[in-house]
């Protein structure tokens, strides 16, 4: 598994803006491009990506994102991420997402996310 993917998703649990920014900066390229179903347009660059991940931290305090499965071909990674934390009803909840990541010199240059894992329930 790629260390940059693990570091990037570890940043999702960091509520402090400067600490989260440092973690993301170490994991992605300067002009990283991020897309997922919750972004109406591409997020480009480290500051914008840090702001987006910060919204997750602010809206889901105590939640984390963890890479639970990964594989790769060439410079492309496929990772399954478990987003977990306490839900509004007080129970522990887990939501899965699947991401396709492109690397450039051991840092993420493009991140494309999907809700779920593509498997039928």
């Amino acid at each position: 598994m790629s260390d940059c993917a693990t570091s990037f998703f570890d940043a999702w649990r960091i509520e402090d803006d400067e600490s989260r920014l440092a973690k993301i900066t170490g994991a992605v390229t300067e002009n990283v491009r991020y897309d997922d179903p919750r972004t109406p347009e591409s997020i480009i660059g480290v500051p914008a990506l840090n702001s987006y991940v910060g919204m997750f931290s602010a809206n889901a305090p105590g939640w984390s994102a963890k890479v639970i499965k990964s594989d790769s071909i060439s410079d492309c990674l496929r990772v399954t991420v478990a987003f977990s934390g306490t839900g509004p009803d007080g129970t522990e909840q887990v939501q899965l997402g699947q991401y396709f990541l492109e690397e450039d010199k051991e840092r993420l240059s493009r991140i494309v996310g999907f809700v779920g894992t593509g498997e039928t329930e």
Side-chain angles (χ1 to χ4, degrees):
M1 175 186 342
S2 170
D3 290 339
C4 58
T6 301
S7 289
F8 173 68
F9 287 104
D10 283 349
W12 288 63
R13 66 177 165 76
I14 301 173
E15 294 182 28
D16 177 70
D17 190 57
E18 287 183 31
S19 298
R20 186 180 55 257
L21 177 61
K23 188 80 155 177
I24 290 173
T25 299
V28 304
T29 61
E30 183 179 339
N31 294 313
V32 63
R33 180 177 172 168
Y34 179 94
D35 293 282
D36 79 21
R38 292 177 176 88
T39 59
E41 55 190 45
S42 296
I43 293 171
I44 299 173
V46 174
L49 185 55
N50 184 53
S51 293
Y52 178 75
V53 174
M55 287 189 305
F56 171 83
S57 300
N59 291 323
W63 278 59
S64 64
K66 181 179 179 183
V67 175
I68 58 169
K69 185 166 61 168
S70 70
D71 60 351
S72 65
I73 296 174
S74 187
D75 291 332
C76 186
L77 305 165
R78 174 177 59 178
V79 298
T80 302
V81 177
F83 295 91
S84 60
T86 305
D89 63 356
T91 62
E92 196 67 19
Q93 297 183 358
V94 177
Q95 298 173 358
L96 298 178
Q98 190 160 69
Y99 290 79
F100 294 88
L101 317 168
E102 293 178 10
E103 285 185 309
D104 181 16
K105 298 178 185 167
E106 299 183 15
R107 291 196 176 181
L108 302 176
S109 58
R110 182 146 190 235
I111 304 165
V112 179
F114 295 83
V115 174
T117 61
E119 297 177 16
T120 56
E121 305 283 325

